[in-house]
Amino acid sequence: MEKRKLGFWEIWNMSFGFLGIQMGFALQNANASRILQIFGADVHELSWFWIIAPLMGLIVQPIIGHYSDNTWGRFGRRKPFFLVGALLASVGLILMPQADIFIAFMPALWVGAGMLMIMDASFNIAMEPFRALVADNLHTDQRTLGFSVQTALIGFGAVVGSWLPYVLTNWFGIPNTDPSGNVPQNLIWSFIIGACILVATILVTIFTTKEYSPKELAAFEDGGEAELVPVKAKLTDIFTDFRKMPDTMRQLSWVQFFSWFGLFGMWVFTTPAIAHHIYGLSINDTKSQAYQNAGDWVGVLFGVYNLVSAIFAFFLPVIAAKVGRKRTHAISLVIGGLSLISIYLMPNENWVILPMIGVGIAWASILAMPYAILAGSIPARKMGVYMGIFNFFIVIPQIVNALIGGPIVKYLYNDNAIFAIITSGVSFLLAAALVAKVKDVDDTKSKSEILKN
């Protein structure tokens, strides 16, 4: 038995919910530091608040992966988790920029951080099953296309989320400052719109996508000897699975570490870096019109790299077919690393668009190539839990950066956040060098089949 080859639009609908997830994620990435600074956080404290995001991923994704592997009901295997995650994330999106309405109970900064935690936990509940669903539903030779389509949708969603505050202000006249120093209306409305689109796109995937049952997946894997996934699987099996992870996953872990260490630094420190280094503002300026303009421009810049990633994602399968997935990923990371470093040399905010094109190429590859390489080394019955465990190597580097990034910026870089961006670029280059040690199982199989023929 083999899985049915899916048409392009079937693959598109299967990942369509990721457009909404990433729209919400982009709103968070581009604006959370800005919102937290408005609520009173200092620049060197930002990474400590952002530690919530990777911690939620570390805790949530393996658990969700385990239970989605071992869940089957009338609503499917992965789809119930999409819906719950989307609904919870929408609550966090609506309330985070409006955290000051709870000021009678606790400081707005802490409420905002709490909403950030809810959003991140919920995004992780929704994201992990999406990764597993692509691997569940697609034949081996369609997985690169599947993860590339997912990357494209991530990019399109992130473009909308990143540009939305700028668009609401410059096209619709919604103010990007608040007379009382609170979060401006353009951000509040952006987060509300993001919450609505998140739920709507998840529903598209739920109503248009069919899942294979555990029995069918077992038949695909075992050549027809179909058995149901054991219902007595224990949550503690995650630790056993971690010890027995495939070699390819161990090798990719170091690539992921330096890739996501760099990404975290970029997300946390781009707003203060651009405001201080490019706009020439004081490090302590977090409420002026110029600072809000810088924050809106960071959203535009993030939209640029996400738009590039969405377009480049369609070329990834073709490039990978010609030069291999490993080489494609290494070259993309080098381009991204050099681009981040070059931001230091940009003469004004418009020139920063140029390095963001390179960052978009790296982002597209980071979202697709490691998962395409990994999927070939994982047994189908463990796809969800191993995709969740693989997330360890995304969140651990972010936790490390969250713990040390702030003190480094304060004591080593004298609060000049542009040097944190340069550090992120160097981290990308290290990740590119480590790709050489990774074994691509599917690529090895393909070469063996060619030699036999």
Side-chain angles (χ1 to χ4, degrees), residues 14 301 324:
M14 181 173 63
L301 295 174

Side-chain angles (χ1 to χ4, degrees), residues 59 62 125 187 254 352 400:
I59 296 167
I125 291 171
L187 287 187
W254 290 104
V352 184
V400 172

Side-chain angles (χ1 to χ4, degrees), residues 35 37-40 176-178 180-183 284-292:
I35 291 170
Q37 283 190 287
I38 291 172
F39 287 151
N176 68 347
T177 57
D178 185 271
S180 58
N182 295 323
V183 176
N284 297 320
D285 183 351
T286 61
K287 297 182 183 295
S288 69
Q289 178 71 61
Y291 176 81
Q292 301 302 337

